[in-house]
């Protein structure tokens, strides 16, 4: 057994076997496989079932975790997964399926950990949260940038008042590449372009750090291939898929935020990812290092001085799913923090002007 597997086994032994949740995984493409492996390495849950439209992908994923989960049931049908004796489901299918699959799982009394976005619209998100509340089941979304080292301290700085009144925020997520899977470019399956894909992480961080203030006004400009997209007619889907978005948000407390995100921008590096929060007594900034998608620094700034709160390599990708699985092991009940998912979805709707 490898060192990693030994550590995982030792950690798993700390949890009573009867409390270890039985999990099913729906969708084991790029991110689903990554999160499956994170759960397997952690050992806090039993991997019971893997389903993917491509049964070959499901089989391959089962092989990848066979040392930790040798008897995993594999299927190409989400219904088969729901028929298993499970405590929770991890959903990483194309975005357009999330709300429908999450509601089906919650409706059967299963807890859900879903990739972002939870739904394509605030309406879908509200329906899913209502189902989780009605069935009293844990619901969480993989807003994984919250778990980057230093972000917890950044949030504490903001919430403790150490930054003073936060009056401005600047958030960007520019990706020099675009998604490489066709479903991302089908509005029905993706729910949107770069705002739904990348901007949603910024909106989540913004509202988390500012502690969900009332939104007073939102203005936005969405572009596709350099052309401004027209505002959709009431009740209609968007006219096209944005690959660049800029939004300004004004909060009722007077604070303002600027959000920009894009696919295939000539960024001069793989990605530019930043979330800066400016207060009357200081600032806190999350920034990617050297264009990396994975390495970040978090700094606390005052005037020209800055203190590094975290930096360097940090294996943060699987942290949110691990923490959901551990929470599920303790208590499967609805956690009211999930209601914040609606605030994120509402602001996304406002950016899309719908
Ligand atoms: N949290 C993050 O930072 C993050 C990062 C990447 C992707 N995501 C989200 O994760 C989701 C998946 O993205 P991806 O890049 O892994 O996509 P992907 O295309 O690589 O994976 C999706 C998988 O779902 C499978 N699938 C399709 N329909 C299915 C169904 N009905 N039942 C079961 N499986 C089905 C596909 O065969 C595929 O293997 C998206 O919603 C995306 O927005 C989140």
């Amino acid at each position: 057994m490898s060192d990693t597997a030994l550590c995982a086994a030792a950690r798993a032994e700390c949890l009573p076997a009867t409390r270890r949740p039985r999990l099913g995984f729906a969708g084991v493409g790029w991110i689903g496989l990554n999160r499956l492996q994170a759960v397997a390495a952690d050992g806090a849950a039993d991997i019971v079932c893997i389903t993917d439209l491509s049964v070959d992908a499901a089989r391959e994923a089962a092989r990848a975790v066979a040392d930790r989960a040798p008897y995993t049931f594999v299927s190409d049908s989400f219904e088969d997964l729901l028929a298993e004796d499970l405590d929770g489901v991890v959903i990483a299918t194309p975005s357009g399926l999330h709300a429908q699959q999450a509601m089906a799982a919650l409706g059967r009394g299963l807890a859900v950990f879903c990739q972002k976005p939870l739904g394509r619209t605030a309406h879908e998100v509200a329906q899913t949260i209502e189902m989780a509340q009605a069935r009293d089941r844990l619901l969480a979304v993989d807003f994984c940038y919250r778990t980057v080292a230093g972000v917890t301290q950044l949030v504490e700085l903001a919430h403790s008042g150490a930054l003073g009144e936060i009056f401005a925020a600047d958030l960007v997520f520019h990706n020099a590449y675009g998604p490489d899977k066709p479903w991302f470019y089908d509005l029905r399956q993706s729910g949107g372009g770069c705002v739904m894909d990348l901007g949603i992480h910024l909106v989540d961080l913004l509202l988390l750090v500012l502690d969900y203030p009332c939104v007073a006004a939102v203005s936005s400009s969405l572009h596709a291939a350099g052309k401004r997209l027209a505002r959709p007619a009431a009740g209609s889907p968007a006219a096209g898929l944005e690959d660049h978005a800029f939004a300004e948000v004004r909060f009722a407390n007077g604070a303002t935020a600027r959000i920009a995100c894009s696919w295939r921008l000539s960024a001069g590096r793989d990605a530019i990812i930043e979330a800066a929060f400016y207060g009357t007594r200081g600032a806190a900034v999350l920034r990617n290092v050297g264009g990396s998608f994975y390495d970040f620094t978090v700094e606390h700034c005052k005037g020209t001085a800055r203190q590094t709160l975290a930096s360097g390599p940090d294996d943060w990708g699987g942290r949110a799913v691990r923490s959901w699985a551990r929470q599920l092991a303790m208590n499967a009940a609805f956690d009211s923090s999930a209601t914040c998912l609606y605030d994120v979805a509402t602001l996304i709707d406002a950016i899309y002007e719908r």
Side-chain angles (χ1 to χ4, degrees):
M1 200 185 268
S2 70
D3 283 358
T4 316
L6 276 170
C7 288
R11 275 197 303 276
E13 274 156 22
C14 299
L15 293 166
T18 49
R19 304 283 303 279
R20 209 178 297 155
R22 294 166 56 80
L23 301 184
F25 288 75
V28 281
W30 179 60
I31 206 77
L33 178 60
N34 178 289
R35 297 328 190 222
L36 173 75
Q37 288 175 313
V39 170
D42 187 51
D46 289 335
I47 296 163
V48 172
C49 176
I50 299 174
T51 176
D52 194 292
L53 209 54
S54 154
V55 76
D56 288 341
R59 282 201 194 104
E60 206 172 304
R63 270 197 295 277
V65 295
D67 59 332
R68 301 290 305 143
Y71 306 112
T72 308
F73 172 66
V74 163
S75 166
D76 61 358
S77 153
F78 186 68
E79 284 305 314
D80 283 352
L81 174 140
L82 293 182
E84 288 291 299
D85 173 21
L86 300 174
D87 298 302
V89 176
V90 176
I91 297 172
T93 52
S95 306
L97 294 170
H98 291 178
Q100 168 198 329
Q101 291 180 331
M103 280 193 279
L106 290 162
R108 302 240 182 154
L110 308 181
V112 166
F113 181 83
C114 191
Q115 277 308 317
K116 58 78 192 165
L118 180 57
R120 290 165 293 190
T121 61
H123 179 65
E124 283 191 348
V125 170
Q127 286 182 314
T128 313
I129 296 169
E130 277 163 24
M131 180 66 87
Q133 276 172 318
R135 301 306 303 254
D136 194 22
R137 279 297 170 265
L138 192 58
L139 168 66
V141 168
D142 197 356
F143 283 127
C144 45
Y145 293 88
R146 289 175 172 217
T147 69
V148 169
V151 170
T152 301
Q153 292 98 306
L154 186 157
V155 174
E156 276 166 13
L157 280 175
H159 291 187
S160 68
L163 303 180
E165 291 292 320
I166 300 178
F167 58 88
D170 243 317
L171 302 101
V172 299
F173 197 148
H174 296 303
N175 183 340
Y177 313 97
D180 55 358
K181 294 131 199 169
W183 68 258
F184 270 96
Y185 300 96
D186 170 0
L187 183 63
R188 201 175 43 84
Q189 295 191 69
S190 62
C194 62
V195 171
M196 197 57 91
D197 183 31
L198 309 174
I200 196 165
H201 284 296
L202 304 179
V203 167
D204 175 62
L205 281 178
L206 172 67
L207 295 182
L208 174 72
V209 172
L210 299 192
D211 204 13
Y212 303 92
C214 263
V215 174
V218 178
S219 62
S220 61
S221 305
L222 308 183
H223 284 78
K227 300 256 182 310
R228 178 121 187 230
L229 289 173
R231 181 187 176 150
S236 312
L241 271 189
E242 77 286 356
D243 57 20
H244 185 279
F246 176 75
E248 278 186 316
V249 184
R250 190 161 53 75
F251 293 99
N253 63 10
T256 56
R258 299 190 303 180
I259 297 171
C261 61
S262 64
W263 289 334
R264 291 183 299 276
L265 195 75
S266 296
R269 65 209 79 184
D270 286 347
I272 306 172
I273 308 170
E274 283 179 19
F277 300 89
Y278 300 102
T280 49
R281 293 174 53 202
V285 186
L286 165 79
R287 192 174 282 127
N288 68 328
V289 179
S292 168
F293 286 106
Y294 305 105
D295 298 336
F296 289 87
T297 57
V298 177
E299 293 176 337
H300 179 192
C301 308
K302 209 164 182 185
T304 56
R306 61 181 196 271
Q307 180 198 354
T308 301
L309 302 177
S311 75
D314 171 34
D315 187 15
W316 50 274
R319 237 169 236 154
V321 71
R322 282 197 298 268
S323 110
W324 169 82
R326 284 168 169 259
Q327 187 172 348
L328 180 57
M330 307 296 290
N331 187 353
F334 181 75
D335 181 333
S336 61
S337 65
T339 54
C340 298
L341 299 168
Y342 181 68
D343 299 270
V344 173
T346 309
L347 187 42
I348 294 288
D349 265 8
I351 291 171
Y352 281 120
E353 297 186 305
R354 59 190 180 203

